Amino acid sequence: MMSNLVNEPITVVSSLAVADLPTAWTATRRFAVNSTEGFLGWYDYAAARGLPPVHADIGLSLCRYGVGEGGYVVLPLIGPRTVRDAVADVVLVNAILWTALATALGTGATLQTIVIAETVEIAADIVATRQIDPQAKALGAGEYGATRAEYLRQRRLRCGIPVAAGERPGL
């Protein structure tokens, strides 16, 4: 459910930010199908209808606009990230959630709104950011240098930055 309720809207926003209309449209259709037929995303009926998940995130959008990746960090429970991706995942997602919840609840940033947003954000960080970047999830907790190199390689490729075969980025 978190993948549907958090990842699909983030994919839509991130894709629209870089004018990737096909990905935004696929994520919109996945959200609609899974939110209705799939009980808010409990079941992934969209994949069964030929709409496989295509994940995009705000970090990739920032990358495409030329924002540098910064250093490599490993966030507890979330996993590998660049500073750019970590800020996008934690700070920007928080801002989006707070704004959406304040609007939905008809309040400003009250304590209640902040507590609800933080609860959702923690769940989103643990579940959704790992789903947004399935390649990072697949890296597991192996040897630090190899994990770092592979994470940076796949993020750069997804951003459209050419990476030579066998290159160990940032080393």
Side-chain angles (χ1 to χ4, degrees):
M1 288 179 77
M2 289 300 294
S3 179
N4 182 60
L5 298 175
V6 176
N7 289 353
E8 299 300 350
I10 288 175
T11 296
V12 171
V13 170
S14 300
S15 299
L16 289 175
V18 294
D20 181 0
L21 300 181
T23 299
W25 180 236
T26 298
T28 300
R29 292 186 310 166
R30 283 185 52 77
F31 180 78
V33 168
N34 288 337
S35 293
T36 55
E37 294 176 29
F39 300 103
L40 296 178
W42 187 263
Y43 300 103
D44 188 2
Y45 284 123
R49 289 182 173 221
L51 295 168
V54 180
H55 300 293
D57 60 67
I58 297 169
L60 289 173
S61 296
L62 292 173
C63 178
R64 291 190 181 126
Y65 278 108
V67 176
E69 62 189 18
Y72 172 81
V73 296
V74 179
L75 300 175
L77 304 174
I78 297 171
R81 290 279 179 270
T82 62
V83 170
R84 174 196 60 230
D85 298 337
V87 168
D89 288 346
V90 177
V91 176
L92 295 178
V93 170
N94 253 332
I96 291 167
L97 287 172
W98 286 19
T99 302
L101 283 171
T103 302
L105 297 174
T107 65
T110 64
L111 180 59
Q112 176 187 12
T113 305
I114 293 169
V115 168
I116 292 170
E118 283 301 313
T119 303
V120 172
E121 192 269 329
I122 289 168
D125 280 349
I126 294 171
V127 177
T129 57
R130 300 293 282 183
Q131 295 298 323
I132 287 172
D133 194 353
Q135 289 88 355
K137 181 180 179 182
L139 293 175
E143 190 263 318
Y144 176 82
T147 300
R148 176 181 181 269
E150 181 57 22
Y151 177 79
L152 293 174
R153 186 191 69 75
Q154 62 90 13
R155 286 300 282 185
R156 289 173 182 168
L157 284 173
R158 291 177 69 201
C159 182
I161 300 171
V163 177
E167 178 183 346
R168 292 184 60 132
L171 298 178

